């Protein structure tokens, strides 16, 4: 849908100086103190999906007009993606009161994404597709591995090559350009060896501006892929089948402005449902798309809690005194999401009986286990498999989060644990959960964010 008031929005857009505000976001030096056990009550409002907003921001590079994205959460990752777009020449304004992000990518005068930013945010690599499709050339650093695994980008690269790009990797940089006399990428048949979310998104975005038809077989079916396709369609792209394993894109020469609302975050929603279950609480969450949470709801029901759909976009969790074990195995959507594995394991640690947890998506996603065990859980890990023997209760301890979802898992455990937990790792949590502790505090949880610098000063003064 083209924007009717491009010019008005344009006038509101600040220059690159605005994006400097993003750069000066405070570095997270805080710890979180959590007092448990908590009992929660009330309604939690769910933010827009981080994993939709990030590729959506990259997709605005495809448009030569001004794009408005709504329900964009205020998160560190969004700030970094904003800085990447800004480094390419886009002008950005994030109104954090209305969760609206205006991106003017009419002028893109750089084709290289800075390493300093890409290394902090793997998803910013996904911008390679739009940069290449729009400018015919792109230089994006390899993002490298991260706390949960090696995370290669070979499927992105091979797909771009199939679309006619010349790609060579040297000195840690992926250099891609449209080869020969062709000005546009060329439609192609692409089979993904694995239904990678990011590769599907990179290639779908690149193919929107390609000449001819592209078919992506074995595509990822995640709701965020479908959301990205809907955004591109609203910008004038021809995309069919997003949300299924076969996506067909018929390229167009140009995409236009858009005003688009990001879907609710299913991972944040699932995390709050688990918060309700682990604290034996009656809570509601909205807005959500209940269908996106099917696997998580089904497993919550297996452990004994009830999840009822109150309205088309809200869910209520009714607690159960007795929580029973269940098995989970992570899989691409519509299977159980890997991003919910750690938070769900926190819940299983207090379910009676023995639960099996198998991680199949990432190779190194069990680092929360040792910290959960320090809180009294009884979990044994072998490779990508965990055996969780339920314990009657957890006890508070100093804990460290190693990645985003591991951190969420530890916070959930702390809500149920007796005593004062000190959590380190807010830099991970703040990447992907908007005001997690403030939302939980409203329901009755007891948190305090403590500035480490202040703590040190107090300590020194008392020596
Ligand atoms: C996205 C999500 C992340 C989620 C993951 C799986 C974003 C910003 N992040 O990450 O939260 O956990 O989907 O649902 O949307 N792989 C390759 N080669 C590639 C690409 C991927 O081997 O070129 C492998 C990965 O190493 C991993 C598996 O495929 O083992 C799945 O990764 P992928 O679906 O690509 O995850 P992301 O898009 O990075």
């Amino acid at each position: 849908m083209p924007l009717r008031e491009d010019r008005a929005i344009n006038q509101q857009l600040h220059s690159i100086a605005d994006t400097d505000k993003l750069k000066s976001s405070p570095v997270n030096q805080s710890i979180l103190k959590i007092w448990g056990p908590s009992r929660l009550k009330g309604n939690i409002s769910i933010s827009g999906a981080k994993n939709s907003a990030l590729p959506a921001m990259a997709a605005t590079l495809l448009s030569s007009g001004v794009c408005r994205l709504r329900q964009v959460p205020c998160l560190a990752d969004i700030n970094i993606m904003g800085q990447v777009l800004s480094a390419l020449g886009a002008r950005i304004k994030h109104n954090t009161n209305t969760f609206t992000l205006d991106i003017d990518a009419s002028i893109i005068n750089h084709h290289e994404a800075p390493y300093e930013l890409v290394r902090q945010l793997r998803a910013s690599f996904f911008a390679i597709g739009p940069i290449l499709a729009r400018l015919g050339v792109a230089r994006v650093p390899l993002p490298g591995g991260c706390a949960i695994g090696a995370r290669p980008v070979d499927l992105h690269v091979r797909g771009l090559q199939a679309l006619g790009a010349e790609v060579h990797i040297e000195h840690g940089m992926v250099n891609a350009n449209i080869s020969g006399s062709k000005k546009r990428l060329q439609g192609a048949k692409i089979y993904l060896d694995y239904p990678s979310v990011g590769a599907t998104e990179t290639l779908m975005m690149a193919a929107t501006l390609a000449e001819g038809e592209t078919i992506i077989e074995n595509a990822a079916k995640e709701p965020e892929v479908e959301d990205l396709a809907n955004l591109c369609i609203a910008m004038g792209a021809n995309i069919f089948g997003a949300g299924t394993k076969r996506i067909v894109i018929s390229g167009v020469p140009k995409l236009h402005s858009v005003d688009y609302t990001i879907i609710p975050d299913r991972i944040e929603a699932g995390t709050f449902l688990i918060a309700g279950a682990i604290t034996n609480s009656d809570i509601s969450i909205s807005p959500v798309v209940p269908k996106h949470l099917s696997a998580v709801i089904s497993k919550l029901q297996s452990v004994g809690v009830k999840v009822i759909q109150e309205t088309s976009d809200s869910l209520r969790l009714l607690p159960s005194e007795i929580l029973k074990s269940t098995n989970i195995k992570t899989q691409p959507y519509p299977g159980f999401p890997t991003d919910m594995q750690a938070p769900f394991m926190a819940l299983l640690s207090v379910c009676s009986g023995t639960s099996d947890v198998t991680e199949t998506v990432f190779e190194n996603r069990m680092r929360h286990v040792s910290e959960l065990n320090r809180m009294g859980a009884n979990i044994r890990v072998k490779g990508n498999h965990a055996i969780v023997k339920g314990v009657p209760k957890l006890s508070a301890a100093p804990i460290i989060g190693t990645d985003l979802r591991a951190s969420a898992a530890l916070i959930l455990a702390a809500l149920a644990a007796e005593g004062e937990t000190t959590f380190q790792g807010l830099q991970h949590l703040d990447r992907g959960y908007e005001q997690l502790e403030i939302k939980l505090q409203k329901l009755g949880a007891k948190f305090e964010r403590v500035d480490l610098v202040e703590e040190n000063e107090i300590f020194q003064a008392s020596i």
Side-chain angles (χ1 to χ4, degrees), residues 50-51 54-55 122-123 126 148 150-156 194-199 201 222 338-339 361-363 365 405:
K50 169 183 85 82
N51 287 354
L54 290 171
R122 194 180 179 282
F126 306 172
I148 61 173
R151 306 187 80 172
V153 289
D154 55 319
L155 299 174
H156 303 242
Y194 185 88
S196 152
V197 175
E201 292 173 341
E222 268 68 3
T338 173
D339 287 350
V361 180
F362 291 107
E363 64 266 35
R365 211 165 197 185
R405 307 304 172 185

Side-chain angles (χ1 to χ4, degrees), residues 180-218:
S181 55
K182 300 268 190 305
K183 290 211 161 54
R184 290 166 63 191
L185 291 166
Q186 302 296 301
K189 280 198 171 143
I190 301 168
Y191 174 83
L192 295 177
D193 290 340
Y194 185 88
S196 152
V197 175
T200 304
E201 292 173 341
T202 295
L203 301 174
M204 189 170 71
M205 288 189 281
T208 58
L209 293 182
E211 220 173 303
E213 185 177 82
T214 297
I215 300 175
I216 306 176
E217 299 278 11
N218 200 28

Side-chain angles (χ1 to χ4, degrees), residues 190-261:
I190 301 168
Y191 174 83
L192 295 177
D193 290 340
Y194 185 88
S196 152
V197 175
T200 304
E201 292 173 341
T202 295
L203 301 174
M204 189 170 71
M205 288 189 281
T208 58
L209 293 182
E211 220 173 303
E213 185 177 82
T214 297
I215 300 175
I216 306 176
E217 299 278 11
N218 200 28
K221 296 185 274 193
E222 268 68 3
E224 294 77 15
V225 172
E226 204 178 339
D227 201 32
L228 178 65
N230 288 336
L231 165 72
C232 293
I233 292 167
M235 289 161 79
N238 291 321
I239 303 176
F240 310 91
T244 75
K245 62 181 185 184
R246 185 173 198 263
I247 304 178
V248 180
I249 305 123
S250 182
V252 294
K254 224 174 160 191
L255 296 184
H256 52 67
S257 305
V258 75
D259 186 337
Y260 190 81
T261 303

Side-chain angles (χ1 to χ4, degrees), residues 324-461:
K324 312 175 296 243
S325 58
T326 191
N327 300 332
I328 61 171
K329 183 176 182 182
T330 64
Q331 272 167 347
Y333 189 85
F336 190 91
T338 173
D339 287 350
M340 293 306 306
Q341 181 258 106
F344 211 93
M345 199 188 294
L347 173 63
L348 293 176
S349 72
V350 291
C351 290
S352 68
T354 301
S355 306
D356 279 1
V357 177
T358 308
E359 172 61 53
T360 75
V361 180
F362 291 107
E363 64 266 35
N364 189 20
R365 211 165 197 185
M366 293 282 173
R367 292 177 71 192
H368 44 286
V369 169
S370 51
E371 293 299 277
L372 287 174
N373 283 344
R374 293 184 63 255
M375 299 178 81
N378 183 354
I379 308 170
R380 223 156 29 90
V381 175
K382 206 165 180 206
N384 65 356
H385 186 71
I387 299 161
V388 186
K389 290 198 170 142
V391 294
K393 61 180 183 190
L394 298 172
S395 64
I399 43 171
I400 301 177
T402 46
D403 67 75
L404 172 58
R405 307 304 172 185
S407 299
L410 298 177
I411 301 290
L412 293 171
L415 289 174
E418 246 172 47
E420 178 186 298
T421 294
T422 313
F423 170 80
Q424 275 185 58
L426 277 168
Q427 72 278 18
H428 300 300
L429 202 68
D430 291 345
R431 280 188 43 214
Y433 288 93
E434 189 175 53
Q435 303 200 317
L436 182 82
E437 85 259 24
I438 292 173
K439 289 185 181 184
L440 285 167
Q441 260 170 336
K442 283 190 187 150
L443 301 192
K446 295 183 197 73
F447 284 98
E448 190 188 351
R449 212 173 250 248
V450 183
D451 188 10
L452 266 191
V453 178
E454 272 174 28
E455 282 249 309
N456 286 343
E457 279 167 6
I458 292 163
F459 177 67
Q460 279 164 11

